[in-house]
Amino acid sequence: MRLVKAVLAASIGAAIALSSSVQAKQITIGFSQIGAESEWRTANTNDVKRAAKENGIELKFSDAQQKQENQIKAIRTFIAQKVDLIGFVPIVATGWDNILREAKRAKIPVLIMDRDLTVSDPSLYVAKIGTDMYTEGRKVFDWLDEYVTKNNIKPRNGGDKINIVILEGTVGASATTGRGNGFNDAMNDSDNKDKYKILASQTGDFTRQKGQEVMESFLKSNRNDIDVLFAMNDDMALGAIQAIEAAGLKPSKDIIIVSVDGVKGIFQAMMDGKANATVECNPLQGDLFFKTAQKILKGEAVPKSVFVEEGVYTSDNAAEVFPTRQY
């Protein structure tokens, strides 16, 4: 009798252990990141990996190194591996229909992070986790307009227009399109729209080096005319600050600098008096991503767009906020 009980207990224990093992490996997610072009992106990647571990997810991670074809290959590999769900950050907004149809035929749901995409059939992906890039662009102009008005800023060249140069992000990226459209729409909606002029706008590809190079070009052509720099991410702004100083001008004083992301580097620049403001684009999206993924895999309905919270920070509150920054 004791032997029977022992065998039974061992069997139950083995079954529980097997069940736990199966449960631990139940959710496998393939995730394709665009690369490591900025402080923001590194923070985003680190948060995804952290959240996957804390949520008990088996994560198959791929770095696309800024190439869409690498992402498509990675997604195709995830499909072949029969992962439970596929997540990725679209490098550009278009060109995804075919690979997402492959995922749909394999009955693997797709969850987008951070950037938007444009597809012919919205059912090719379940939802997008991330930030409202259009609203970020509007926040940039709204802050600028308030700052210019409050401080009675006048054009450096003595003219009647506040001249703005824009460092755009990667061509075709939803972050570039969204922030650009948001900024332009907010400017056109403003009662003060006639006092502003976009002097030049060019891609800096979201990198510090390219931001510096393009800002150098802007300064060669319009050194005495530029009043404002809008950089679509902080890394480009930090590169531009180097170019402005090399040209003998004072960043944040001669040229107002406002950017997007909210990384520690731009907070340090604000504390050093070299930048004026940053609109937060929160990279800490991992927990929201994996909790949404789990809901999808349980068959629960989720909104098509799920946004994280974001703020606006300036040189006035940078020192106070800096110690709390996680990225």
Side-chain angles (χ1 to χ4, degrees):
M1 188 67 176
R2 289 179 180 174
L3 180 59
V4 172
K5 287 182 178 179
V7 171
L8 182 59
S11 299
I12 293 171
I16 292 172
L18 179 61
S19 175
S20 298
S21 176
V22 171
Q23 186 175 7
K25 297 179 180 179
Q26 185 175 7
I27 298 179
T28 301
I29 293 178
F31 188 89
S32 175
Q33 180 61 278
I34 66 173
E37 82 284 2
S38 63
E39 286 185 57
W40 191 99
R41 188 62 55 195
T42 299
N44 181 238
T45 292
N46 291 341
D47 195 60
V48 167
K49 292 179 177 179
R50 174 204 60 78
K53 185 176 181 180
E54 292 183 5
N55 283 276
I57 304 294
E58 181 182 352
L59 183 68
K60 294 184 181 296
F61 185 89
S62 175
D63 183 336
Q65 299 180 334
Q66 304 292 327
K67 295 180 180 179
Q68 185 181 29
E69 58 265 32
N70 289 346
Q71 285 199 298
I72 291 172
K73 288 178 183 176
I75 294 170
R76 190 163 283 129
T77 297
F78 296 150
I79 294 170
Q81 292 172 335
K82 298 181 180 180
V83 299
D84 297 300
L85 181 141
I86 292 170
F88 73 106
V89 179
I91 292 177
V92 294
T94 60
W96 303 104
D97 286 56
N98 291 338
I99 190 63
L100 294 188
R101 286 195 187 97
E102 291 181 32
K104 188 174 183 178
R105 284 195 294 270
K107 298 182 179 179
I108 300 175
V110 175
L111 184 57
I112 307 304
M113 178 182 274
D114 179 33
R115 296 184 178 179
D116 298 315
L117 47 67
T118 302
V119 289
S120 59
D121 177 5
S123 71
L124 291 176
Y125 71 98
V126 182
K128 176 226 170 174
I129 303 298
T131 60
D132 188 342
M133 295 160 188
Y134 176 82
T135 297
E136 289 166 0
R138 292 194 70 99
K139 286 178 179 179
V140 169
F141 179 79
D142 289 343
W143 174 86
L144 174 63
D145 194 27
E146 181 180 351
Y147 182 85
V148 167
T149 302
K150 180 180 178 181
N151 293 282
N152 194 29
I153 302 295
K154 302 296 183 183
R156 286 199 302 126
N157 64 8
D160 60 354
K161 299 285 186 182
I162 298 291
N163 288 310
I164 303 167
V165 293
I166 300 176
L167 284 172
E168 302 172 12
T170 303
V171 175
S174 64
T176 303
T177 305
R179 290 168 190 166
N181 289 343
F183 183 89
N184 289 330
D185 286 353
M187 183 166 64
N188 290 331
D189 291 343
S190 170
D191 292 339
N192 299 320
K193 63 182 178 182
D194 292 336
K195 74 163 65 169
Y196 299 101
K197 178 183 178 181
I198 296 177
L199 195 62
S201 186
Q202 185 176 327
T203 179
D205 210 26
F206 284 132
T207 68
R208 190 173 305 198
Q209 181 179 347
K210 195 68 180 294
Q212 181 178 352
E213 291 173 2
V214 176
M215 192 66 201
E216 288 171 353
S217 175
F218 287 161
L219 289 165
K220 284 179 183 178
S221 302
N222 300 285
R223 183 187 186 281
N224 298 318
D225 297 321
I226 301 171
D227 300 300
V228 177
L229 166 65
F230 164 32
M232 290 191 183
N233 83 340
D234 291 337
D235 276 69
M236 291 190 295
L238 292 168
I241 287 170
Q242 293 178 278
I244 292 167
E245 290 182 316
L249 296 172
K250 294 181 179 180
S252 88
K253 304 293 190 301
D254 293 322
I255 299 176
I256 298 165
I257 298 175
V258 55
S259 53
V260 180
D261 274 356
V263 301
K264 285 184 176 180
I266 204 69
F267 273 82
Q268 187 63 56
M270 288 191 289
M271 290 187 292
D272 292 340
K274 296 181 180 183
N276 301 86
T278 184
V279 172
E280 184 177 35
C281 178
N282 190 346
L284 307 181
Q285 303 172 16
D287 286 322
L288 185 58
F289 179 88
F290 289 114
K291 291 185 186 306
T292 304
Q294 289 169 325
K295 288 181 179 180
I296 291 169
L297 293 172
K298 289 177 183 177
E300 298 179 20
V302 299
K304 197 69 175 178
S305 295
V306 186
F307 296 131
V308 291
E309 294 183 5
E310 301 175 311
V312 179
Y313 303 99
T314 71
S315 55
D316 292 334
N317 61 17
E320 178 185 353
V321 176
F322 182 74
T324 69
R325 303 306 290 170
Q326 297 181 51
Y327 50 91

